[in-house]
Amino acid sequence: MKTKSLVCIVSLTISAVLSASEFDELKRSLDHNQQEEVAEKIHEFSQSNPGKANAAFLEGYLAFKEERWDTALEFLEKAHELELDNSIFLSKLGLALIKKADHSETFEQPALYLRGVDCFKQAETLDESNIEAQMALIGFYSNAPAMVGGSFEKAHEHANKLLNYHAEFGTQQIADLFVRQERIDEAVKQYETYLKSCSEDNRSWAYTQIEKIRESHGGSEKTNLTSEVND
C-alpha cells in the first residue's frame, strides 16, 4: 500500500514538472493566439508550481492574451521577480504595462508607460536579439514627443540592431522610419539593399513594399507626413 502511494506521489510530481520543450510549446501556442486550447493546462501547471517563474509567466501571458490586464501584470511581475535576468519575461511585462496604461485613467498613464519602456530597455540590455523589445523601443522613440525622450535617431539605432537579427523586420522598420521622415529615396534604397542578399522567397515581398512606397509617395517627392519627434 505504501509502495503504491509512493508511486502515485512520484507520478504526480513528474506530471507537475514542465520540460523546456513543453514550456516553449505552450508559449508558442499563446504567441499564435491559441489560448483556449492551452488555458486548462497552464492553469493546472500554475497551481501545481506557485513558486516557479515559468509557471507565473505562462499564467500572466495567458491573462494578457485574454485582455485581463491586472491579472497579467500580477503574474508577469511575479515571473520577473523570480527570474530577474530573463529578457522575454521583461518584454512581456513591458507590453502588459503599456496595455494597462491604454485602459487606465489619464493621470495614471504616464507612470505606466514609462515603466513599460523601462522594461523594454532592460530586456534589450539583457538580450539585444529580443525582437519584441527592439520593436517596442523603435515604436516608443519614433512616436514619443522629444520632451519625454522621443528621437528618430534612437529609433534608427534600434532598427539597425534589429536588422542584425531579423533582416526582414529590420529592413521594414528602417524603411518605415525613413518614410515618416519624408526620406522616400532612402526608404526605397533600404529595400533595394535588402534585395541584394534576401532569399528568393522574400524578393516579391520587398518589391511589393517598394511599389507601395512609390505609389503612395511618388518616388522622391515630399510627403505631407509630420512627426511628433524633434531630433
Side-chain angles (χ1 to χ4, degrees):
M1 191 69 176
K2 288 184 179 179
T3 302
K4 187 175 181 180
S5 298
L6 181 60
V7 170
C8 289
I9 291 171
V10 172
S11 177
L12 286 171
T13 302
I14 293 173
S15 65
V17 174
L18 200 68
S19 68
S21 60
E22 288 176 315
F23 172 82
D24 290 341
E25 184 179 344
L26 288 172
K27 180 182 176 297
R28 192 158 44 248
S29 294
L30 293 175
D31 289 342
H32 291 89
N33 300 313
Q34 297 171 341
Q35 48 269 25
E36 291 184 7
E37 290 89 332
V38 296
E40 185 176 350
K41 186 170 184 178
I42 289 174
H43 289 320
E44 289 176 355
F45 177 63
S46 178
Q47 290 165 10
S48 302
N49 297 271
K52 288 191 176 293
N54 56 359
F57 171 79
L58 288 172
E59 194 70 65
Y61 192 14
L62 173 63
F64 178 87
K65 285 293 187 175
E66 294 176 341
E67 301 185 359
R68 296 181 287 117
W69 312 124
D70 289 332
T71 302
L73 279 176
E74 176 188 349
F75 281 99
L76 290 172
E77 285 176 338
K78 182 178 179 180
H80 170 54
E81 290 168 3
L82 291 168
E83 199 168 316
L84 294 172
D85 60 351
N86 191 304
S87 179
I88 298 298
F89 291 3
L90 268 166
S91 58
K92 281 291 186 290
L93 175 57
L95 289 176
L97 285 162
I98 297 300
K99 284 295 186 180
K100 174 65 177 176
D102 290 342
H103 294 82
S104 296
E105 298 293 336
T106 303
F107 71 92
E108 296 177 311
Q109 291 180 337
L112 289 166
Y113 282 132
L114 290 176
R115 280 184 63 201
V117 172
D118 187 56
C119 284
F120 296 134
K121 289 179 179 178
Q122 291 181 58
E124 190 261 353
T125 299
L126 287 168
D127 181 7
E128 194 175 278
S129 68
N130 186 326
I131 294 174
E132 191 169 66
Q134 294 290 9
M135 295 278 281
L137 289 170
I138 293 167
F140 168 72
Y141 285 121
S142 65
N143 289 295
M147 63 186 298
V148 296
S151 164
F152 270 115
E153 181 179 352
K154 288 184 178 179
H156 274 287
E157 178 184 325
H158 286 283
N160 278 289
K161 287 181 180 179
L162 180 61
L163 188 64
N164 293 328
Y165 300 100
H166 199 297
E168 186 176 325
F169 286 168
T171 296
Q172 187 166 30
Q173 290 298 311
I174 294 170
D176 286 350
L177 290 171
F178 280 141
V179 168
R180 291 182 57 192
Q181 292 176 283
E182 302 181 7
R183 297 159 64 180
I184 306 305
D185 289 343
E186 289 172 270
V188 171
K189 185 178 179 180
Q190 187 66 39
Y191 282 114
E192 290 175 341
T193 300
Y194 172 75
L195 279 166
K196 293 176 183 178
S197 59
C198 73
S199 67
E200 192 65 34
D201 291 341
N202 290 330
R203 292 182 68 82
S204 61
W205 169 79
Y207 280 122
T208 298
Q209 299 307 309
I210 291 173
E211 288 307 309
K212 284 181 179 179
I213 292 173
R214 285 176 171 158
E215 288 175 8
S216 299
H217 306 289
S220 61
E221 294 179 11
K222 290 283 187 179
T223 71
N224 292 322
L225 289 172
T226 58
S227 171
E228 300 174 1
V229 182
N230 295 310
D231 285 328

